[in-house]
Amino acid sequence: MQQMIVVDDIDVYIEGGVEGSETIVMIHGWPDTHRLWDAQVEELKDRYRCVRFTLPGFDITKPRRAYSLDATMRILLHIVAAVNQKQKVILMLHDWGCVFGYEFYMRNKALVSAIIGVDIGDANSQATDRSRTFGQKMMVSGYQNILSLAWAIGGPIGNMITRGMVNAMKVPAPKEYISSAMNFPYYILTAGAAGSYRSLVPFFPKVPMLFIYGTRKPFMFHSTQWRDKLAAKEGCKVVAMSTDHWPMVRDPQRFNEVVSEWLEKPAAKEEAAGEDAAA
């Protein structure tokens, strides 16, 4: 049975769990909505209380607005406080959801028991930047600048540019929920608007973490140093999947197996560098 509450004008969906179940707060990225986690909720709701929502500014039915980092953190804090039943929560994060979720953890460590990060590690670090070729750096700046421009233009043209990029990147998200309004993080990132993201705290967890990433993409969003350091940490695990940026959608069965196994039995150190078949 699904329950819906409204927190700071954000529709928050709560599904599953029994008395005393841990709560998993699922946060998506671009250009997705809460629907990204459909297969994960279906798999986990018998054992966990699954909480998901569409990020502020990403809901096509709500007014267009750019949310600063601090404003986003306040909303996440209010949502977690509304659903956590006075217990720590598990964060399941993807793409911009990782950026926001990692920052939330760094600001509110007492509220988080574990983290599942998908495809985004130390994306903005110097180590990640150095690991990319000139061509890869051009690809990154290219798509970010295009999405930033689409936000600035807005309206039908901005939507057309955004959906053109979605098609070019073969994004699995339903097109009817996608608009240029979702691009505001790229505008903030590239234009330094709405306070920018300069205050982001470098992320490395002190709680158990599962990091899953896809290998079939033109560049990575983490450095090998960050990945290997995380994999060597007790209670943490790194799993590479033979998918693109959306492993939870491309191979939900394998993704759910990895997540369920790790949640039920935190990874041993010798298992921390486990990988699926090579790309």
Side-chain angles (χ1 to χ4, degrees):
M1 181 177 177
Q2 185 184 82
Q3 175 189 0
M4 196 268 280
I5 62 174
V6 179
V7 179
D8 291 355
D9 199 35
I10 303 296
D11 299 333
V12 180
Y13 303 92
I14 306 169
E15 296 176 68
V18 295
E19 185 70 27
S21 293
E22 290 183 276
T23 297
I24 303 177
V25 177
M26 304 172 174
I27 309 178
H28 66 86
W30 181 92
D32 294 297
T33 66
H34 70 275
R35 300 167 184 85
L36 174 74
W37 305 110
D38 282 350
Q40 286 64 57
V41 171
E42 190 62 31
E43 170 67 23
L44 296 169
K45 67 182 181 181
D46 290 340
R47 291 159 288 155
Y48 298 90
R49 194 160 161 269
C50 300
V51 175
R52 54 183 171 154
F53 52 92
T54 297
L55 278 169
F58 278 57
D59 192 334
I60 199 169
T61 68
K62 302 288 177 72
R64 166 186 157 108
R65 175 185 165 186
Y67 287 79
S68 68
L69 181 62
D70 285 343
T72 302
M73 291 302 105
R74 282 195 298 271
I75 292 172
L76 294 186
L77 180 60
H78 295 165
I79 291 173
V80 169
V83 304
N84 67 359
Q85 299 182 322
K86 297 183 179 180
Q87 297 176 339
K88 293 183 178 182
V89 302
I90 300 165
L91 297 179
M92 183 181 287
L93 315 167
H94 177 243
D95 193 74
W96 277 99
C98 288
V99 177
F100 298 138
Y102 295 165
E103 181 70 12
F104 176 83
Y105 164 75
M106 295 302 294
R107 296 188 185 196
N108 304 278
K109 293 178 181 177
L111 299 179
V112 178
S113 63
I115 298 171
I116 301 167
V118 186
D119 218 65
I120 301 291
D122 59 334
N124 294 320
S125 70
Q126 291 184 356
T128 298
D129 185 64
R130 286 195 300 266
S131 70
R132 293 174 177 156
T133 66
F134 177 76
Q136 290 171 332
K137 292 177 182 179
M138 292 299 292
M139 281 190 282
V140 172
S141 63
Y143 85 81
Q144 291 179 347
N145 286 331
I146 289 171
L147 294 175
S148 174
L149 177 64
W151 159 263
I153 294 172
I157 295 177
N159 291 341
M160 181 181 68
I161 295 171
T162 301
R163 289 169 183 165
M165 180 60 68
V166 165
N167 290 333
M169 297 172 72
K170 299 181 180 179
V171 176
K175 306 299 187 293
E176 62 267 29
Y177 302 114
I178 295 174
S179 76
S180 64
M182 293 175 160
N183 301 348
F184 76 86
Y186 294 105
Y187 185 72
I188 293 174
L189 184 68
T190 60
S196 80
Y197 294 132
R198 295 188 187 94
S199 61
L200 282 168
V201 179
F203 168 72
F204 199 81
K206 292 186 177 181
V207 295
M209 178 172 178
L210 170 64
F211 180 58
I212 302 174
Y213 68 97
T215 59
R216 293 188 173 183
K217 53 184 189 283
F219 46 81
M220 297 294 167
F221 295 98
H222 65 271
S223 66
T224 55
Q225 298 97 310
W226 184 88
R227 180 199 65 195
D228 293 346
K229 185 178 179 182
L230 180 68
K233 186 177 180 294
E234 186 172 3
C236 296
K237 186 172 184 176
V238 174
V239 176
M241 290 183 59
S242 185
T243 69
D244 61 9
H245 185 54
W246 288 268
M248 76 290 286
V249 176
R250 303 302 191 188
D251 192 353
Q253 181 176 352
R254 174 59 180 154
F255 183 91
N256 290 344
E257 288 173 354
V258 171
V259 169
S260 295
E261 179 183 315
W262 184 79
L263 286 172
E264 296 298 325
K265 183 181 178 182
K269 290 183 71 174
E270 62 268 21
E271 299 173 329
E275 290 194 359
D276 287 342

